[in-house]
């Protein structure tokens, strides 16, 4: 039917066992980070080809999270609560920094789309409330681009092979860094 394939990983196991606990964790997390960045690159490529007008600031909304306590990673369009210190910025710098921060949320809306929206007919500010006449202005709806679903389909095919390759590479790098000669 097919040719037999055997994989001998005794050398890799020997290297891995010679590492300390902290070095093992470092090697594993490095491999997961490298594999996750390749998956993120695929998601960014899908975002660019989806038809959504994107730039570097919009692409920063696609994040990689490598788990600290468990082994694994996720690529997400979610946002991370950021504490930005705008105190040192003035004028145009402040406006530009806030604009870039707002652009990072766009992929979250673009993935699932948004419902039809209208302006409100009433509002309040500092305890003063008002009511406008009319039904409000239509502000539109964003269609669902579903670029993360497309990226997931392509990433599932290549991620395991890439992760295995990165794992071998990072274990060898870590062993060489900490004084092993395993060539």
């Amino acid at each position: 039917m097919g040719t037999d394939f055997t994989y001998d990983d005794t050398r890799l196991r020997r290297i891995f066992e010679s590492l300390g606990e902290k070095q093992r964790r470092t090697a594993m997390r490095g491999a997961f980070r490298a594999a996750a960045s390749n998956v993120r690159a695929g998601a960014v490529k899908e975002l660019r080809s989806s038809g959504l007008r994107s730039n570097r600031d919009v692409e920063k909304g696609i994040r990689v999270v490598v788990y600290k306590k468990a082994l694994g990673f996720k690529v997400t369009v979610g946002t991370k609560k950021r504490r930005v210190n705008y105190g040192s910025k003035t004028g145009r710098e402040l406006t530009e920094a806030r604009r870039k921060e707002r652009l990072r949320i766009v992929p979250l809306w673009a993935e699932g789309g948004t419902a039809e929206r209208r302006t409100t007919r009433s509002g309040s500010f500092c305890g003063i409330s008002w009511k406008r006449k009319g039904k409000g202005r239509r502000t539109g709806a964003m269609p669902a681009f579903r670029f993360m679903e497309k990226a997931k389909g392509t990433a599932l095919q290549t991620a395991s092979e890439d992760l295995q390759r990165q794992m071998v590479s990072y274990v060898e790098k870590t062993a060489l860094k900490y004084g092993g000669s395993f060539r």
Side-chain angles (χ1 to χ4, degrees), residues 83-102:
R83 290 187 179 175
V84 181
N85 182 11
Y86 294 122
S88 62
K89 299 183 185 329
T90 58
R92 288 184 182 166
E93 293 174 343
L94 179 65
T95 306
E96 183 68 16
R98 285 183 178 158
R99 184 190 66 80
K100 286 181 178 181
E101 195 68 30
R102 282 193 303 266

Side-chain angles (χ1 to χ4, degrees), residues 1-132:
M1 187 169 163
T3 60
D4 290 334
F5 178 74
T6 58
Y7 178 72
D8 184 23
D9 64 348
T10 55
R11 182 177 153 271
L12 182 64
R13 282 187 189 176
R14 191 170 33 108
I15 295 171
F16 194 72
E17 289 168 1
S18 69
L19 295 174
E21 185 64 33
K22 189 174 180 182
Q23 287 90 17
R24 287 180 192 175
R25 204 169 35 244
T26 303
M28 300 284 268
R29 287 190 68 207
F32 278 111
R33 190 175 295 111
S37 67
N38 290 340
V39 173
R40 182 191 178 276
V44 167
K45 189 176 178 182
E46 288 293 333
L47 173 67
R48 288 177 185 157
S49 66
S50 69
L52 179 70
R53 228 175 52 196
S54 68
N55 59 17
R56 190 177 192 115
D57 296 320
V58 172
E59 291 165 3
K60 284 182 182 178
I62 301 174
R63 303 186 305 119
V64 169
V65 178
V66 178
Y67 301 128
K68 292 181 180 177
K69 296 187 179 178
L71 290 176
F73 66 89
K74 70 178 176 179
V75 178
T76 180
V77 291
T79 59
K80 178 180 174 183
K81 187 171 182 178
R82 304 174 80 101
R83 290 187 179 175
V84 181
N85 182 11
Y86 294 122
S88 62
K89 299 183 185 329
T90 58
R92 288 184 182 166
E93 293 174 343
L94 179 65
T95 306
E96 183 68 16
R98 285 183 178 158
R99 184 190 66 80
K100 286 181 178 181
E101 195 68 30
R102 282 193 303 266
L103 283 175
R104 290 186 179 168
I105 193 77
V106 171
L108 181 63
W109 296 329
E111 173 62 20
T114 59
E116 178 75 25
R117 298 178 306 278
R118 291 186 162 279
T119 57
T120 57
R121 296 191 306 169
S122 63
S124 65
F125 181 72
C126 294
I128 303 169
S129 60
W130 65 87
K131 212 166 208 176
R132 271 192 344 216

Side-chain angles (χ1 to χ4, degrees), residues 39 73 148-162:
V39 173
F73 66 89
M148 285 298 282
E149 287 180 8
K150 295 173 188 168
K152 183 180 178 183
T154 58
L156 286 176
Q157 299 167 354
T158 60
S160 61
E161 297 168 3
D162 187 36

